[in-house]
Amino acid sequence: MRILKLNEKDIQKIIDLDIASFGLNYDLPAITEKQVRKILGKGIILGIKENGILISNIQVAEKKKNVWFIEGIATIPEKQHKGLAEILLKKAIKISRQKRIMKISALIRPCNQKSINLFLKNGFKKIKIIENYYGKGKDRILAELAIK
């Protein structure tokens, strides 16, 4: 299994993966082409492909000097809970160390216990709950990892 750095040629695949991963039950709309281009301009998107099909990715962008923000992690439903997100998260952390990033932040849905566990297992700390971050009833947990 190879981790690839995705680029502009992969934009539609990234959008399609987001839609397939979260479907209509998610509390936010799918990622847009404009958002993907912005992430690619300020960060990296790492992906895992199987038989040429993008099955998982992590989107990370620099929010301010030496601080990265995980914009999203997505995996197609039939490949979820197989460790792909953790492989990508660990790779993003490794790259952040190489680039001398000081901190990585992420926002997590409070009801997504598997995602919370993934971040905690990989050294992130819960900082606070931000109520109504994306609108009424759309709270998020802010988690951060200090890079050493």
Side-chain angles (χ1 to χ4, degrees), residues 47-64:
I48 297 173
K49 291 182 180 179
E50 185 176 85
N51 300 321
I53 298 168
L54 183 62
I55 61 169
S56 189
N57 77 28
I58 186 168
Q59 307 148 12
V60 186
E62 190 169 26
K63 286 297 182 184
K64 54 185 175 180

Side-chain angles (χ1 to χ4, degrees), residues 3-21:
I3 298 173
L4 307 166
K5 186 174 177 185
L6 303 179
N7 57 46
E8 288 196 359
K9 292 183 288 186
D10 298 300
I11 288 175
Q12 191 57 53
K13 292 176 185 171
I14 293 165
I15 293 168
D16 292 345
L17 174 61
D18 198 63
I19 292 167
S21 298

Side-chain angles (χ1 to χ4, degrees), residues 28-132:
L28 294 175
I31 196 165
T32 65
E33 180 179 342
K34 182 179 179 182
Q35 290 169 320
V36 174
R37 287 185 186 283
K38 186 175 179 181
I39 294 165
L40 288 170
K42 292 188 167 202
I44 58 169
I45 301 179
L46 302 173
I48 297 173
K49 291 182 180 179
E50 185 176 85
N51 300 321
I53 298 168
L54 183 62
I55 61 169
S56 189
N57 77 28
I58 186 168
Q59 307 148 12
V60 186
E62 190 169 26
K63 286 297 182 184
K64 54 185 175 180
K65 188 167 174 58
N66 297 322
V67 177
W68 275 6
F69 180 76
I70 297 176
E71 298 283 348
I73 300 177
T75 303
I76 59 172
E78 56 270 24
K79 297 293 183 177
Q80 291 177 1
H81 316 298
K82 297 188 186 308
L84 299 177
E86 185 167 17
I87 289 167
L88 291 170
L89 180 59
K90 286 178 183 280
K91 182 68 172 181
I93 292 168
K94 181 179 178 182
I95 291 170
S96 72
R97 283 191 179 101
Q98 293 167 348
K99 293 186 175 282
R100 302 205 185 329
I101 299 298
M102 296 169 52
K103 180 171 63 174
I104 303 175
S105 299
L107 292 173
I108 311 163
R109 291 171 67 191
C111 64
N112 190 343
Q113 193 58 51
K114 289 181 180 171
S115 186
I116 293 167
N117 292 344
L118 169 69
F119 283 100
L120 294 178
K121 178 181 174 185
N122 285 280
F124 283 74
K125 306 284 185 234
K126 287 185 193 178
I127 302 302
K128 63 182 174 180
I129 294 179
I130 306 170
E131 293 183 2
N132 304 315

